[in-house]
Amino acid sequence: MAGHRPLRLSSNASSEPLKVPQNGILRGGCGYGMDARDVDFPEVVTSTYRSGSVIETVWGISANHGGGYSYRLCRLPANGKTDITEECFQKTPLRFEGTKQAIQFYNGTRVYFEGMKTSNGTYPPGSEWMRNPIPACKPHGEPSTSPGCPDGTQFEPPVPEAFGFGVYRLDNVAGKWYFEWSIVDRVVLPPGLEPGLYVLGFRWDTEGEDQAWASCADIEIVD
């Protein structure tokens, strides 16, 4: 912890909504992209769950800026995804099932370890945030280079292979890119959710940069 920042998040990121300019471009300190609400994604997969169930989530890192993250839920508005807001996600933060996490390698192998979560100083109050378990390189989170972080890592890696920036490679057989390792969590859907379409949101507030990264997945709650 550092001051009142949960898991050493940037000082205002946990309470500030993500802002999208009117031109649809979301610009950060080192990149930009289209507002996903305006993109017609092809072949979207909608996963089906029951209210109160535990679901598994997986995410991967490219540029590692530390910090912590949370998962939230938003009921799909009547007018569709263009009406999704940060305020909607903040109404239903999800809690993690315990503190057990895993690193999953591209070959399917998993290594489990004890994660670090907190509900102290988070926003919305009482919501849970999990520390990004992958340490950046010393001294200031520089990209890792072969054979590794020359000055060491900012804390002990959960597994020897997972540190610094994420590693992704091209599978020449499958013809697509993949992460060599990803981070696995288990989160709990609240009981009593009305059946229907929802958006599962991932929000990562970084420490090394004043940035917030977000991604979403379509899910359906059924009886």
Side-chain angles (χ1 to χ4, degrees), residues 8-157:
R8 301 193 68 185
L9 302 176
S10 54
S11 58
N12 63 355
S14 59
S15 60
E16 288 294 320
L18 301 179
K19 296 178 174 63
V20 181
Q22 293 182 352
N23 63 5
I25 301 296
L26 178 61
R27 297 190 180 275
C30 62
Y32 62 90
M34 292 298 298
D35 185 340
R37 294 172 296 185
D38 299 328
V39 177
D40 186 17
F41 293 100
E43 301 178 2
V44 173
V45 175
T46 300
S47 300
T48 301
Y49 301 101
R50 296 188 184 277
S51 179
S53 61
V54 177
I55 65 176
E56 190 171 83
T57 60
V58 183
W59 68 286
I61 291 176
S62 179
N64 185 5
H65 298 310
Y69 59 93
S70 66
Y71 288 94
R72 302 91 57 79
L73 202 62
C74 173
R75 180 75 182 265
L76 186 67
N79 292 331
K81 65 181 182 180
T82 56
D83 284 353
I84 293 174
T85 63
E86 171 68 10
E87 289 78 12
C88 179
F89 282 120
Q90 290 179 358
K91 291 178 181 178
T92 314
L94 303 183
R95 67 179 182 85
F96 293 89
E97 186 196 44
T99 55
K100 190 69 70 177
Q101 295 182 280
I103 295 297
Q104 177 168 301
F105 294 92
Y106 179 63
N107 63 7
T109 302
R110 287 188 178 183
V111 179
Y112 289 88
F113 61 93
E114 200 68 24
M116 182 184 297
K117 70 176 181 179
T118 186
S119 57
N120 181 25
T122 57
Y123 189 90
S127 60
E128 291 188 346
W129 292 76
M130 187 72 77
R131 184 183 71 168
N132 171 6
I134 308 302
C137 295
K138 289 181 178 179
H140 305 299
E142 291 81 3
S144 52
T145 55
S146 181
C149 299
D151 296 320
T153 58
Q154 294 181 352
F155 55 88
E156 190 70 21

